[in-house]
Amino acid sequence: MQCQAHYTIINKLGLHARAASQLASLALKFDAKVTLTQDDKSAEADSVLALMLLESSQGKEVLVQCEGPDAEQALIAIGQLIEAKFNEGE
Protein backbone atom coordinates (compact mmCIF):
# COMPACT_ATOMS: atom_id res chain seq x y z
CA MET A 1 0.00 0.00 0.00
CA GLN A 2 1.14 3.53 -0.73
CA CYS A 3 -0.22 6.86 0.50
CA GLN A 4 0.88 10.44 0.89
CA ALA A 5 -0.17 13.79 2.30
CA HIS A 6 1.14 17.33 2.62
CA TYR A 7 1.67 18.83 6.08
CA THR A 8 2.86 22.23 7.22
CA ILE A 9 5.45 22.34 9.98
CA ILE A 10 3.74 24.54 12.58
CA ASN A 11 5.87 24.23 15.70
CA LYS A 12 8.06 27.22 16.52
CA LEU A 13 11.42 25.44 16.25
CA GLY A 14 10.63 23.41 13.13
CA LEU A 15 12.07 19.96 12.55
CA HIS A 16 14.99 20.34 14.99
CA ALA A 17 16.80 17.51 16.80
CA ARG A 18 14.12 16.66 19.38
CA ALA A 19 11.28 16.80 16.84
CA ALA A 20 13.28 14.78 14.30
CA SER A 21 14.04 12.19 16.98
CA GLN A 22 10.34 11.87 17.85
CA LEU A 23 9.41 11.51 14.19
CA ALA A 24 12.12 8.88 13.55
CA SER A 25 11.07 6.87 16.62
CA LEU A 26 7.46 6.96 15.50
CA ALA A 27 8.30 5.94 11.92
CA LEU A 28 10.22 2.89 13.18
CA LYS A 29 7.07 1.56 14.88
CA PHE A 30 5.43 0.83 11.53
CA ASP A 31 6.09 -1.71 8.81
CA ALA A 32 6.37 1.01 6.20
CA LYS A 33 8.99 3.04 4.38
CA VAL A 34 8.35 6.69 5.26
CA THR A 35 9.90 9.51 3.26
CA LEU A 36 9.61 13.27 3.82
CA THR A 37 10.20 15.64 0.92
CA GLN A 38 10.58 19.40 1.10
CA ASP A 39 11.39 21.38 -2.04
CA ASP A 40 14.16 19.38 -3.75
CA LYS A 41 15.31 17.44 -0.64
CA SER A 42 14.09 14.07 0.58
CA ALA A 43 14.79 12.15 3.78
CA GLU A 44 14.00 8.72 5.12
CA ALA A 45 11.93 9.27 8.26
CA ASP A 46 13.91 6.74 10.29
CA SER A 47 17.08 8.90 10.09
CA VAL A 48 17.25 11.80 12.55
CA LEU A 49 20.20 13.34 10.71
CA ALA A 50 18.49 13.11 7.31
CA LEU A 51 15.36 14.73 8.74
CA MET A 52 17.38 17.57 10.22
CA LEU A 53 19.12 18.13 6.87
CA LEU A 54 15.71 18.98 5.36
CA GLU A 55 15.96 22.21 7.39
CA SER A 56 12.18 22.27 7.83
CA SER A 57 11.39 25.45 9.69
CA GLN A 58 8.04 26.76 10.87
CA GLY A 59 5.71 27.35 7.93
CA LYS A 60 7.45 24.94 5.54
CA GLU A 61 5.35 22.33 3.78
CA VAL A 62 6.53 18.73 3.64
CA LEU A 63 5.21 15.81 1.63
CA VAL A 64 5.00 12.63 3.69
CA GLN A 65 4.99 9.45 1.61
CA CYS A 66 4.43 6.00 3.12
CA GLU A 67 4.75 2.64 1.45
CA GLY A 68 4.19 -0.80 2.96
CA PRO A 69 1.67 -2.83 4.96
CA ASP A 70 1.30 -0.14 7.66
CA ALA A 71 1.49 2.85 5.29
CA GLU A 72 -1.91 4.30 6.13
CA GLN A 73 -1.45 4.00 9.90
CA ALA A 74 2.05 5.50 9.65
CA LEU A 75 0.77 8.46 7.63
CA ILE A 76 -2.00 9.15 10.14
CA ALA A 77 0.33 8.91 13.15
CA ILE A 78 3.01 11.14 11.60
CA GLY A 79 0.40 13.66 10.53
CA GLN A 80 -0.95 13.78 14.08
CA LEU A 81 2.56 14.30 15.48
CA ILE A 82 3.21 17.20 13.11
CA GLU A 83 -0.18 18.76 13.82
CA ALA A 84 0.45 18.37 17.58
CA LYS A 85 3.60 20.52 17.12
CA PHE A 86 5.73 17.52 18.12
CA ASN A 87 4.16 17.83 21.59
CA GLU A 88 6.16 20.99 22.28
CA GLY A 89 3.23 23.27 23.02
CA GLU A 90 4.57 26.10 20.86
Side-chain angles (χ1 to χ4, degrees):
M1 174 167 207
Q2 193 172 13
C3 53
Q4 64 183 37
H6 290 271
Y7 294 99
T8 301
I9 302 297
I10 55 175
N11 60 308
K12 190 175 184 179
L13 299 174
L15 198 50
H16 59 97
R18 187 172 43 241
S21 178
Q22 285 184 54
L23 202 155
S25 294
L26 182 60
L28 286 169
K29 293 180 180 179
F30 298 96
D31 184 9
K33 178 182 175 188
V34 181
T35 307
L36 272 71
T37 304
Q38 176 188 291
D39 301 326
D40 60 345
K41 298 179 189 176
S42 289
E44 299 294 320
D46 59 358
S47 169
V48 174
L49 182 58
L51 290 170
M52 289 177 61
L53 289 173
L54 287 176
E55 300 177 55
S56 297
S57 56
Q58 187 178 40
K60 292 281 189 172
E61 184 176 85
V62 293
L63 172 64
V64 180
Q65 297 172 295
C66 302
E67 185 175 349
D70 294 340
E72 195 171 321
Q73 297 95 318
L75 184 64
I76 290 167
I78 290 168
Q80 288 173 340
L81 180 65
I82 293 170
E83 290 171 352
K85 301 179 183 180
F86 297 94
N87 305 310
E88 293 177 353
E90 288 188 38

